[in-house]
Amino acid sequence: MMNGLQSLPQWRSTFGKPEGALLGFMNAVYPLSKVIGLFPATWLGDNYGRRRPMFVGFLLLPIGAALQAAAQNTPMFIASRFVLGFSTSFLAQPSPILVTELAYPTQRAKITSLYNTFFYLGAVLAAWSTFGTFRIQSTWAWRIPSLLQAVMPSIQFAFFYWLPESPRWLIAHGQEEKARQIFTKYHGNGDHNSPLVDFEVAEINESLQRNTLDNHSNSYVDLMRTAPNRRRMLIAVGIAFFAQWSGCSVVSYYLTLVLNTIGIRDVAHQTLINGMLQIFNWIVAVCGGALLVDRVGRRRLFLIATTGMFCAYIPWTVLNAEFAKTHNQALGNSVLIFIFVYYFFYDIAWTPLPLAYTAEIFPYSLRGRAITVNYIGTYAGLISGQFINPIAMKAITWHYYIVFCGILAFLVVAIYFLVPETKGHTLEEINEIFEGPQVPLNVAVTDGKGGTQATEMEVSSDASRKV
């Protein structure tokens, strides 16, 4: 949205052609307000269910969109972005947790990875709405895209009634029968005697009992209380922060400034490139990342992606330097090619995995707070970048890209030594990667002859096949 608006002269003239620190603040207020909203959203989700904060978000978000569309001056526009960011937290915080906790075991990785790729669906709609309105010679060129921000949440809200609650939350709050009904419907093909349902319920109960024994309180301090949790935190916060400081935020929020440095200044061309980039990003994130996560693995995707980003950023920087000397437009167009190459690699891991991976590696009792801390890391990266990026781009232009070359080299090494593979494990089994081997879970299931037998569960991709 902000990339598209910054390209529009109608928006720039309305707000006095903001640049530098003011432009940075107009961008940064959105993630800043999301940080503030995360804490009440987490409290609501942990105490009243994953659906409750989402309901609040659906009510507040259209108000922010209406305020932005009606903005008459810079303070009003900033206030609207604050309301939008605050309300979005009530949707963003519980959603990946709910998706993770509802997903069928063998489909969890793909579904949770797909969740975050839909960021680009919103980006596509925002980018193309500004491309469609830039010819309007009035402030409606930016007011219409601003108002359209309320459309997708309204569609989601229309179907919200049929969204089930998290079975793990229900079991943790003494509502095991409701959780069993949800598992039976979505994981057991309606079979009330499904061994898989018995296994999942028993596994969750045992995991909750272990967490209760291990944790005497239920606070953010628990995230740092043990060595395994500290390792989880280092990974989660590192991935979240560097998802924004790996070179993408320069293009994601200041594409106009980047294109200006390579000689592409026409409004039509800038808005068209923005729109095409978002479509490209979404296709790659879905087909090259989310749908391959079980086949390739999380760790390998992170390593391939980050290495590819580093290899793309080097020629991006060199070509930009040469363009600054010669102003040869062919060099500028070559930079544009490497921006797309960079995003190809970014999208296969850094778009689908940060939230999905964080939700996987933390146990149930800490998952809500871990997602909140992950978002704080993300927004810390966003806020700092949105202040620093426009100032640095104006002051040192292409030299700023050298910083990201160094960061990407560091990330390749850090991922290699710190990030473990979680492919092929249930949410409860992933604990063993960090905590060490635990006593195998045995579940009593009916043997069909009136007796019971203890068994360990192997889950297939077909809900009707369970052994």
Side-chain angles (χ1 to χ4, degrees):
M1 172 61 67
M2 288 303 294
N3 252 340
L5 296 186
Q6 289 172 68
S7 297
L8 300 177
Q10 300 93 321
W11 182 85
R12 295 198 301 270
S13 61
T14 299
F15 300 106
K17 299 180 179 178
E19 60 180 19
L22 177 58
L23 180 59
F25 183 70
M26 293 176 77
N27 276 304
V29 69
Y30 180 79
L32 180 62
S33 61
K34 292 187 81 167
V35 172
I36 296 172
L38 283 173
F39 295 99
T42 304
W43 181 82
L44 276 176
D46 283 348
N47 290 281
Y48 296 98
R50 310 303 192 195
R51 298 173 80 254
R52 192 66 60 88
M54 297 177 69
F55 182 79
V56 174
F58 282 128
L59 293 181
L60 292 178
L61 203 149
I63 297 173
L67 282 173
Q68 182 174 317
Q72 300 298 314
N73 50 49
T74 300
M76 187 173 178
F77 185 86
I78 291 173
S80 72
R81 298 298 293 173
F82 184 93
V83 174
L84 281 168
F86 183 81
S87 58
T88 302
S89 286
F90 287 80
L91 297 171
Q93 197 280 336
S95 294
I97 303 173
L98 187 57
V99 170
T100 299
E101 294 177 348
L102 280 172
Y104 186 78
T106 58
Q107 299 168 356
R108 187 193 71 244
K110 289 187 179 71
I111 291 174
T112 53
S113 298
L114 280 169
Y115 164 82
N116 213 40
T117 67
F118 278 84
F119 163 83
Y120 284 125
L121 175 59
V124 166
L125 296 176
W128 284 98
S129 65
T130 54
F131 179 76
T133 61
F134 82 89
R135 293 180 178 85
I136 299 175
Q137 299 302 312
S138 70
T139 58
W140 283 105
W142 62 266
R143 294 188 193 277
I144 291 174
S146 297
L147 197 57
L148 289 176
Q149 292 175 107
V151 172
M152 288 302 294
S154 299
I155 295 173
Q156 290 175 300
F157 189 50
F159 295 94
F160 182 64
Y161 175 81
W162 291 279
L163 179 68
E165 183 54 85
S166 162
R168 285 170 173 79
W169 185 89
L170 291 170
I171 292 174
H173 289 78
Q175 301 180 58
E176 183 175 312
E177 186 54 37
K178 289 184 179 179
R180 184 176 289 274
Q181 291 172 6
I182 293 171
F183 275 138
T184 299
K185 180 177 180 179
Y186 294 102
H187 292 188
N189 281 340
D191 180 5
H192 293 281
N193 298 313
S194 167
L196 174 58
V197 172
D198 289 338
F199 177 81
E200 288 187 290
V201 171
E203 188 179 41
I204 291 168
N205 274 317
E206 180 173 304
S207 177
L208 291 171
Q209 290 168 7
R210 286 173 179 162
N211 290 334
T212 300
L213 292 174
D214 293 341
N215 296 286
H216 301 290
S217 63
N218 193 17
S219 70
Y220 286 94
V221 176
D222 294 327
L223 294 170
M224 298 293 291
R225 193 179 298 278
T226 66
N229 283 348
R230 288 192 290 271
R231 183 188 176 194
R232 290 181 174 106
M233 279 288 290
L234 178 62
I235 294 170
V237 174
I239 288 175
F241 183 83
F242 285 107
Q244 307 304 321
W245 271 97
S246 56
C248 74
S249 61
V250 175
V251 177
S252 296
Y253 291 89
Y254 299 104
L255 180 60
T256 299
L257 301 183
V258 173
L259 295 178
N260 287 343
T261 66
I262 56 175
I264 301 175
R265 299 176 178 273
D266 181 71
V267 174
H269 289 163
Q270 288 187 348
T271 53
L272 179 61
I273 290 168
N274 187 31
M276 295 300 295
L277 181 61
Q278 305 315 321
I279 293 176
F280 174 83
N281 285 339
W282 191 28
I283 292 172
V284 173
V286 172
C287 300
L291 296 181
L292 295 179
V293 66
D294 274 330
R295 181 176 300 178
V296 180
R298 288 71 152 162
R299 170 184 164 85
R300 187 177 296 177
L301 275 176
F302 271 124
L303 284 170
I304 293 171
T306 311
T307 303
M309 290 154 61
F310 173 69
C311 293
Y313 235 98
I314 292 174
W316 174 353
T317 304
V318 172
L319 288 168
N320 216 308
E322 290 301 312
F323 175 83
K325 296 176 184 176
T326 65
H327 296 284
N328 183 340
Q329 192 56 52
L331 293 174
N333 295 338
S334 299
V335 172
L336 186 59
I337 292 172
F338 280 101
I339 290 175
F340 276 80
V341 173
Y342 164 86
Y343 264 102
F344 172 86
F345 288 105
Y346 182 92
D347 290 331
I348 66 174
W350 290 90
T351 293
L353 291 182
L355 279 175
Y357 192 76
T358 298
E360 282 187 338
I361 65 176
F362 280 89
Y364 167 82
S365 61
L366 299 176
R367 193 167 292 139
R369 288 170 173 79
I371 291 293
T372 295
V373 171
N374 176 279
Y375 274 122
I376 291 173
T378 299
Y379 300 146
L382 275 174
I383 293 166
S384 58
Q386 287 173 351
F387 275 116
I388 295 170
N389 289 339
I391 297 171
M393 288 291 293
K394 184 178 180 180
I396 58 176
T397 60
W398 67 267
H399 296 86
Y400 189 42
Y401 299 141
I402 298 173
V403 174
F404 297 111
C405 292
I407 290 174
L408 288 167
F410 161 77
L411 285 176
V412 172
V413 176
I415 291 168
Y416 182 84
F417 287 105
L418 287 177
V419 175
E421 184 56 71
T422 59
K423 181 177 72 171
H425 299 281
T426 67
L427 288 176
E428 281 66 36
E429 289 170 348
I430 289 172
N431 282 342
E432 295 189 8
I433 296 174
F434 293 89
E435 308 280 352
Q438 299 178 2
V439 178
L441 176 64
N442 293 321
V443 184
V445 297
T446 303
D447 63 7
K449 300 178 181 179
T452 60
Q453 62 183 32
T455 183
E456 291 189 35
M457 181 61 61
E458 177 183 335
V459 184
S460 78
S461 58
D462 183 350
S464 64
R465 293 169 51 216
K466 298 170 283 287
V467 295

